[in-house]
Amino acid sequence: MDIDDLASRIRAGERRALARAITLVESGRADHRAQATALLEALKGHGREALRVGLSGTPGVGKSTFIEAFGLMLTGQGLRVAVLAVDPSSARSGGSILGDKTRMERLSRDPQAFIRPSPSQSQLGGVARRTREAAELCEAAGFDVVLIETVGVGQSETMVAEMSDLFLLLLAPAGGDELQGVKRGIMEMADILLVNKADGDLKTTAIRTCADYAGALRLLRKRPQDPEGFPKALTVSAIEQEGLARAWEEMQSLADWRRAQGHFAGRRAEQARHWFEAEVREGLLARLRREPVRGAMAALGAQVEAGAITPSAAADELLSEYLQLDRGAREEA
């Protein structure tokens, strides 16, 4: 694969080249990982900056409907929109439906939009392992807004906040129990809460729910990256396309304030450090899955299972010998 040619085609905004590059960074093969790293290095310093917006919400809250309506509004303003949708993978078969293009039929046909579904592959945090790199590729391809949709909502669905500039939490009307369930871990990460389905018979309920969330947000500790009035709760209707323009205005206002105050660039620098450390941890775990460490781990595991050694003592023994085993294997190679 000609990495320089692929990089130049991505900079030119070729959708096929972008799709091929995302497939490359998502691959787990060692040779593909080396090529993906070279590609990301070649694209470094491209000078383009998209607004990365993370979006999470409970199943059935209307994330796909909202993204389609919101994306069409943005493309109608002349903006290029990329959607990175993460689908949950089955714990049994490992498969994913990847049906986001079907759910966003109108947006998928828009020449100004690009939709890429990816499997979570049992990755915690609501995103796929390589979603961050896919967002960097979309940014290099000249997209103005990158929407990152997570698999759902829960205490662990906060990883998307480590790869986005703004984090939106989509909520359903009459979500009192929902508020109790997600108030920590994710509400503290959210910049804007959007109460969806504020239409028809649910409109009054949505307004009341929005007021409840706004009250709950006032109880949270003030964050240095927020201007006065943020985080805030708003009502939207993806079906009737009401409230979308105001939500976009609030997002732009928050992003502009953070840029002016230095929080925007500072946060991206912190995220880069976070993902560097995550890559180091993942690399160390990958070595545990290779020989001869894998064999030593299996042997000690059998001893633990037989009761000949405690789990803590076995772990200490493996870790003390790990570097020697791994160093010896690399020297032989």
Side-chain angles (χ1 to χ4, degrees):
M1 183 180 296
D2 189 337
I3 295 299
D4 291 333
D5 176 63
L6 184 60
S8 64
R9 289 166 55 201
I10 290 172
R11 289 195 195 94
E14 289 188 27
R15 299 164 65 91
R16 183 172 295 181
L18 175 59
R20 186 181 182 189
I22 294 177
T23 300
L24 180 66
V25 301
E26 288 181 342
S27 174
R29 280 177 41 174
D31 57 335
H32 287 175
R33 284 307 307 155
Q35 290 177 330
T37 301
L39 175 62
L40 292 168
E41 280 294 312
L43 291 171
K44 184 178 64 176
H46 49 72
R48 295 170 174 172
E49 184 180 83
L51 182 63
R52 304 176 189 175
V53 181
L55 178 70
S56 189
T58 51
V61 76
K63 292 191 295 295
S64 296
T65 306
F66 171 81
I67 289 175
E68 180 172 56
F70 186 65
L72 288 171
M73 182 194 73
L74 295 181
T75 58
Q77 297 177 9
L79 299 174
R80 298 184 67 205
V81 179
V83 179
L84 302 176
V86 182
D87 267 8
S89 298
S90 170
R92 297 177 119 181
S93 67
S96 298
I97 297 175
L98 302 179
D100 296 276
K101 284 191 175 182
T102 304
R103 291 197 297 265
M104 307 178 199
E105 185 180 356
R106 289 186 299 151
L107 186 61
S108 66
R109 296 198 303 265
D110 194 316
Q112 292 288 94
F114 175 85
I115 302 176
R116 174 68 182 224
S118 298
S120 66
Q121 296 177 330
S122 72
Q123 181 81 5
L124 293 178
V127 294
R129 183 183 170 198
R130 300 298 173 186
T131 301
R132 173 190 61 89
E133 294 175 348
E136 290 182 5
L137 293 172
C138 292
E139 192 171 60
F143 284 90
D144 302 297
V145 181
V146 180
L147 300 174
I148 307 170
E149 178 193 1
T150 71
V151 300
V153 66
Q155 298 288 21
S156 68
E157 310 298 311
T158 55
M159 195 65 75
V160 68
E162 294 294 341
M163 61 180 71
S164 57
D165 304 312
L166 302 178
F167 184 27
L168 310 182
L169 182 57
L170 207 60
L171 300 159
D177 293 336
E178 193 175 318
L179 170 63
Q180 188 67 22
V182 303
K183 64 181 179 180
R184 293 299 178 195
I186 194 163
M187 277 192 66
E188 290 179 332
M189 308 293 286
D191 296 307
I192 300 176
L193 305 185
L194 298 176
V195 181
N196 194 23
K197 304 183 180 181
D199 47 62
D201 296 337
L202 289 174
K203 187 168 186 177
T204 302
T205 305
I207 294 173
R208 185 169 60 249
T209 302
C210 181
D212 292 341
Y213 282 118
L217 288 174
R218 285 193 289 270
L219 300 177
L220 298 179
R221 184 178 299 174
K222 178 75 174 175
R223 304 180 305 184
Q225 70 268 30
D226 292 332
E228 191 63 36
F230 283 90
K232 62 176 55 180
L234 304 170
T235 58
V236 295
S237 170
I239 293 179
E240 296 185 355
Q241 287 143 42
E242 292 186 1
L244 301 181
R246 187 195 170 190
W248 176 233
E249 289 173 4
E250 296 289 359
M251 291 180 218
Q252 290 178 297
S253 173
L254 179 58
D256 290 343
W257 185 87
R258 287 180 175 174
R259 286 190 182 97
Q261 299 297 319
H263 294 297
F264 196 95
R267 180 60 181 149
R268 285 208 172 183
E270 291 175 3
Q271 290 174 350
R273 177 67 176 266
H274 169 88
W275 289 109
F276 156 70
E277 294 174 355
E279 284 294 321
V280 171
R281 288 192 295 269
E282 185 61 33
L284 291 173
L285 289 173
R287 290 186 179 182
L288 288 174
R289 295 189 286 267
R290 296 201 300 260
E291 297 294 354
V293 181
R294 182 178 178 181
M297 193 170 183
L300 282 168
Q303 294 182 43
V304 171
E305 190 175 2
I309 187 173
T310 64
S312 298
D316 287 341
E317 182 178 339
L318 179 69
L319 291 173
S320 64
E321 295 181 3
Y322 164 68
L323 291 177
Q324 287 82 355
L325 288 168
D326 185 63
R327 185 182 299 115
R330 282 186 283 118
E331 287 175 354
E332 289 178 5

